[in-house]
Amino acid sequence: RITQIAEAYGVNAAAVLDNIMYARCHNADHLLNLLVGAASKMVEEKFSLLVVDSIMAPFRTDYSGRGELSERQQHLGKALRRIQKLAEEYNVAVVLTNQVMADPAAGMTFAPNPPKPVGGHVLAHASMTRVQLRKGRAEQRVAKLMDSPWLPEGDATFEICAQGIADAKE
């Protein structure tokens, strides 16, 4: 996908890929180790963006059930503090993607039951701006700004295309 976007803008795809570092995380402890490794790389080189795809996935595999919820949230908090420290020390923007789940308690009423982000208050309080993405019509996606200290709530419709992201065609 990165190669396709680079070519669409006439940029050398190999050079773009050389500027991207990638690691696959297998569990919560591995995530913490990867963050330490990222910090050591940031000392050596300039980074602009840190993306953690599915921040809760390693914690959901390591901890299951309500009995381990407290321990999971503490471990999550530790990882989020490390990420926040990286952002502040190295002036790096951070994007965390997350999973959502149905709220079983909300099913007891007749009101709509929108999905809830996994991670609870620990993740919610560590996030500055929260955006919910959903599929729209055809190839369109909708980004809904859920919470931000400096931006009002709102929606934006866009499309994913060969150039990356483009305004939605109406």
Side-chain angles (χ1 to χ4, degrees):
R1 190 71 165 140
I2 300 294
T3 301
Q4 185 181 23
I5 294 168
E7 289 171 354
Y9 286 98
V11 178
N12 182 332
V16 171
L17 291 171
D18 283 343
N19 282 321
I20 297 173
M21 184 176 296
Y22 168 83
R24 182 176 296 277
C25 177
H26 301 290
N27 58 44
D29 288 328
H30 189 219
L31 174 61
L32 292 174
N33 291 335
L34 288 172
L35 292 172
V36 169
S40 66
K41 282 291 195 181
M42 289 179 188
V43 168
E44 300 168 6
E45 303 175 45
K46 171 85 173 107
F47 282 73
S48 299
L49 176 65
L50 172 66
V51 177
V52 181
D53 189 16
S54 196
I55 182 71
M56 288 306 300
F59 298 96
R60 291 183 88 183
T61 58
D62 286 355
Y63 301 99
S64 61
R66 293 185 187 267
E68 295 180 321
L69 183 61
S70 175
E71 187 180 348
R72 179 189 86 176
Q73 294 302 89
Q74 288 176 1
H75 207 160
L76 171 63
K78 187 175 182 180
L80 292 170
R81 282 189 299 281
R82 274 204 192 152
I83 291 169
Q84 191 167 24
K85 187 175 179 184
L86 285 175
E88 291 169 0
E89 278 188 37
Y90 301 104
N91 196 28
V92 175
V94 176
V95 174
L96 306 174
T97 68
N98 192 17
Q99 303 163 337
V100 294
M101 66 175 185
D103 183 3
M108 301 299 174
T109 66
F110 293 105
N113 184 10
K116 265 175 57 169
V118 176
H121 293 294
V122 172
L123 186 56
H125 290 298
S127 304
M128 286 291 239
T129 300
R130 292 193 308 259
V131 178
Q132 180 184 31
L133 301 174
R134 66 177 169 82
K135 185 144 174 52
R137 285 182 261 125
E139 298 303 313
Q140 294 182 347
R141 304 290 187 269
V142 178
K144 180 176 183 175
L145 184 61
M146 302 298 285
D147 187 39
S148 175
W150 52 80
L151 295 169
E153 287 186 10
D155 293 357
T157 304
F158 63 95
E159 292 182 7
I160 298 174
C161 60
Q163 293 79 23
I165 296 174
D167 289 335
K169 298 175 188 119
E170 290 301 320

